[in-house]
Amino acid sequence: MKKITILIPCYNEEQNLPLIYPELVKLMDSNQAYEWELLFVNDGSHDGTLELLHQLREKDGRVNFVSLSRNFGKEVAMLAGFDYAKGDCLVIIDADLQDPPSLIPEMIHWWEQGYDDVYARRKSRGKESWLRKQLSMMFYRLLQQSSRFDVLQNVGDFRLLDRRCVNALKRMRESERYTKGMYSWIGFKKKEIEFDRGDRQAGKSSWNYRQLFSLAIDGITSFSSLPLRISTIAGFFISMMAFIYMMVVFVKKLIWGNPVQGYPSLLVIILFLGGIQLLSLGIIGEYIGRIYSESKNRPDYFVDEYNEEKVI
């Protein structure tokens, strides 16, 4: 009998766990041809999430949970899930029920047909502000144009991964992770299914614009060196324009004796060049910061508790 692991990263999901657990139980009970594992990863929650996981573990042997020592972020929480998952395939789903568990049987069907990565593309994004939708789509377009591999647009973490994909992702121990790009990078046989994303059932999303911007920077710098190339090209053209302007001023002074004037224009040029330099230094600093983080070779996470047992 094949085993299927459903991975649910949790951060302050006390209100959502009582809602998603019955839906997952209904799914498992109606598909008894498989052995099931519910793997919850508690990412340093500050509410009653861990206590609820203890209760679920006590009444249902199919429930396993990993509790991290602090909040490491969803990307690392998913890596912990990859490490502890026991299934022949793994389904990643959020706890807020925006991704419908009713879509999982269709994912399993295509997995049985030989697909390694069955991902769900959003036809609609649920209750989300216009600005956030536009920024998300702009980011996907930018990442697609700057990467040397196809980036799946409007696709989140809701997907089924064969054990081969999970093992490949486990080998990628980057400290600055962008898993959505890794799904595309590892390749394997993929299948797309579409769905309408629902609204969050309870609680409040922990993703604000600052965190989303940080994730976007991680995505671009993890899979592309285009910002460095743009900085190099911009520096070259600005230097050429400055040289041409210098020669024009020099010739006008030498031949016609025109006085060199224009303090305001000179100040604008200095400020413009200074801004370009600071921007270029910032881009270089982002890459150096990631090199620094990787060079320390720290563990990606620490586990405080696994299935009610303390981890040393």
Side-chain angles (χ1 to χ4, degrees), residues 20-158:
I20 191 173
Y21 174 70
E23 295 295 324
L24 296 176
V25 169
K26 188 187 306 181
L27 167 71
M28 294 186 294
D29 291 344
S30 62
N31 292 271
Q32 297 186 4
Y34 300 96
E35 185 180 355
W36 294 89
E37 175 192 27
L38 297 182
L39 179 58
F40 295 89
V41 179
N42 176 41
D43 188 23
S45 299
H46 302 299
D47 60 359
T49 297
L50 184 57
E51 289 73 17
L52 282 175
L53 293 179
H54 279 277
Q55 296 173 16
L56 295 177
R57 169 69 180 171
E58 289 176 0
K59 73 176 184 179
D60 191 341
R62 296 171 296 187
V63 173
N64 292 321
F65 71 86
V66 179
S67 183
L68 304 184
S69 61
R70 66 169 177 84
N71 177 241
F72 287 90
K74 183 183 178 182
E75 301 290 317
V76 175
M78 288 193 295
L79 175 61
F82 299 155
D83 291 338
Y84 280 84
K86 302 175 183 177
D88 297 295
C89 71
L90 179 145
V91 178
I92 308 170
I93 189 171
D94 290 339
D96 55 16
L97 284 176
Q98 288 188 279
D99 302 326
S102 58
L103 203 63
I104 294 177
E106 185 179 353
M107 293 180 170
I108 297 173
H109 166 75
W110 290 113
W111 173 56
E112 293 285 15
Q113 300 302 311
Y115 290 95
D116 300 303
D117 181 356
V118 184
Y119 61 89
R121 184 186 298 275
R122 307 166 184 142
K123 288 193 295 184
S124 62
R125 300 178 62 93
K127 189 177 180 180
E128 192 175 46
S129 68
W130 178 87
L131 178 60
R132 184 162 173 169
K133 289 179 182 178
Q134 296 304 313
L135 290 176
S136 296
M137 298 308 298
M138 183 175 67
F139 163 70
Y140 282 122
R141 288 193 295 268
L142 178 61
L143 187 60
Q144 176 69 54
Q145 294 173 1
S146 62
S147 301
R148 287 177 288 183
F149 59 91
D150 290 332
V151 177
L152 303 174
Q153 297 188 28
N154 214 18
V155 175
D157 296 308
F158 185 33

Side-chain angles (χ1 to χ4, degrees), residues 231-245:
S231 178
T232 301
I233 295 173
F236 172 78
F237 278 105
I238 291 174
S239 297
M240 290 299 298
M241 289 171 61
F243 177 78
I244 293 172
Y245 179 71

Side-chain angles (χ1 to χ4, degrees), residues 7-30:
L7 169 61
I8 308 101
C10 301
Y11 178 67
N12 294 339
E13 299 291 357
E14 179 182 12
Q15 298 179 20
N16 284 309
L17 288 181
L19 301 177
I20 191 173
Y21 174 70
E23 295 295 324
L24 296 176
V25 169
K26 188 187 306 181
L27 167 71
M28 294 186 294
D29 291 344
S30 62

